[in-house]
Amino acid sequence: MPVSADDGYGVFPGFEFPLAWLLAPVTVQTFLDELWGAALHHIGRDRADYFDGLSGLATAGQLLESLRTEPSAVRLVRGADHLAPEQYTLADGTLDLGRIHAELENGYTIICNNIEKYLRPMSTLTHGVEVELNFPTHVNAYVTPPSAVGFLPHYDHHDVLVLQIQGHKTWYFYGDEPIPPHLMQQLHEVDPAGLPEPTSLHLSAGDTLYVPRGRVHSAETTSESSLHLTVGIHVPTVLTLLTHTLQLLSLRDDVVHTRLPARHLDDPQLQAGLGAVVRDALAAVETPAALAEGLGAMQDLLVRRARCPVVGQVADTVGIDADTLVRKQQPLYSRVTRTVDGVGLQFAQLVVSARPDHEAAMRFLSDATESFRVGELPGLTAAQQLELVRSLIMSGFLVRACASAPLSP
């Protein structure tokens, strides 16, 4: 299906979802099978205009202007030196853009955190990755002056896709192995004196670099300034699933509230018996129902991360019949939940509720990846199909397949 440059796909020209665009010509499946979590990978494109579709990033000034009233999103860093926010904000609490540009000239890197909260193209990008991978994702922007280093050698707790938007940057990697996850929980800083000699990679505008979690790295600019983005991909772990599952289990099963005996810290015999208590709790955790609840809680968090879609207009619902082609707004993660009176289709910060006889149609809608005709909604009468589709167009979940859904600024 062709897509408009104005709709939700427009920032990834030629691709239906953003991850394929970020990785091309490497396919998503090859990336997941061979590179994900295992190896650094540099995708050189020799195309300085590759990321031009990410509107709002034409210049560092344009980026900062969009964040003028969001000073908490901006940091200024030069190696170990971090400027205090009051040094680059005005009396009214907004960013002092003149001062920030002056500090850029003084060698400071400008870091703009979580810009998906403020720029819809970035929100579209991050949520598109979330829909495809089911991993929470964020985007930071880094503006670095010529011949400068932002951070000292460090590692990230999450995987990162680096997008070189403008200029060039050299990345240094210290050692071939990542910091193990259990050590990342204990180490807060890297001792530069204990690092091996680094290897280097040179990024030019239009390139993508994949950095698995735990790889110690630093970066510096060349003779020109640089603007790059980091797409941080936060992969839930077994600990994440256990935490959610135990929390929900605690609301309905007293097995996790079994009290420990007095003197359990001092009596070896009592300690030996605790294994049986823990096994009972773990047996409850690993039941399909308990795991489904834990996964449901993680789904709920992912659903709520999406910005509300652009809502439809009454005019968009005029003339709809059983043959009208519609499609799900993309990217949009959704799920179907049970409610007191029936079922709910949950997406972004919204829930569209319906009677129990709508469950099959709701699940069809949530799972849809292609355009479909209104009359294909299962389990509903023709009148119910039309009513549901009109409601979902008005709430922004569906759009007519022949219409564009423009992005808000």
Side-chain angles (χ1 to χ4, degrees), residues 152-395:
L152 296 175
H154 66 285
Y155 60 86
D156 295 308
H157 288 74
H158 52 271
D159 295 68
V160 173
L161 290 173
V162 180
L163 316 181
Q164 189 66 34
I165 307 299
Q166 296 170 9
H168 303 266
K169 206 158 197 179
T170 301
W171 287 68
Y172 299 98
F173 294 93
Y174 302 82
D176 295 327
E177 297 298 324
I179 303 294
H182 71 280
L183 290 181
M184 284 195 280
Q185 305 302 312
Q186 305 171 41
L187 300 174
H188 299 290
E189 295 183 357
V190 173
D191 179 8
L195 294 176
E197 285 297 312
T199 57
S200 62
L201 283 171
H202 184 74
L203 266 64
S204 299
D207 290 359
T208 295
L209 173 65
Y210 168 60
V211 184
R213 68 176 181 178
R215 287 298 302 264
V216 179
H217 61 273
S218 62
E220 67 178 356
T221 50
T222 59
S223 58
E224 59 181 324
S225 60
S226 162
L227 169 60
H228 80 267
L229 305 182
T230 58
V231 181
I233 305 173
H234 298 257
V235 183
T237 64
V238 172
L239 178 60
T240 312
L241 178 57
L242 284 174
T243 300
H244 285 289
T245 304
L246 280 169
Q247 176 60 36
L248 289 170
L249 187 65
S250 73
L251 302 179
R252 62 174 178 81
D253 193 329
D254 286 339
V255 67
V256 294
H257 297 293
T258 301
R259 303 202 305 175
L260 301 183
R263 300 172 182 166
H264 62 278
L265 298 179
D266 301 319
D267 189 327
Q269 289 186 326
L270 290 176
Q271 292 171 4
L274 293 179
V277 176
V278 172
R279 282 193 295 274
D280 288 343
L282 290 177
V285 167
E286 67 180 8
T287 62
L291 288 174
E293 284 186 333
L295 291 170
M298 294 169 68
Q299 280 186 312
D300 182 67
L301 291 174
L302 198 62
V303 167
R304 293 175 185 275
R305 286 180 58 81
R307 289 177 63 169
C308 286
V310 179
V311 298
Q313 306 296 318
V314 174
D316 299 329
T317 67
V318 174
I320 287 179
D321 58 26
D323 291 326
T324 302
L325 272 176
V326 293
R327 64 172 172 84
K328 182 178 173 181
Q329 186 89 260
Q330 293 288 357
L332 193 61
Y333 189 75
S334 61
R335 69 170 185 147
V336 178
T337 61
R338 298 289 177 88
T339 65
V340 175
D341 299 322
V343 293
L345 181 63
Q346 182 184 4
F347 55 98
Q349 286 76 48
L350 304 174
V351 177
V352 174
S353 299
R355 296 189 298 272
D357 60 354
H358 281 57
E359 182 170 355
M362 292 293 208
R363 296 196 181 280
F364 174 90
L365 289 160
S366 185
D367 294 338
T369 57
E370 304 289 341
S371 300
F372 60 91
R373 299 190 185 279
V374 173
E376 294 176 25
L377 286 174
L380 301 179
T381 66
Q384 288 175 321
Q385 290 171 336
L386 292 173
E387 180 184 6
L388 180 57
V389 167
R390 289 189 181 111
S391 173
L392 292 175
I393 288 175
M394 291 297 294
S395 62

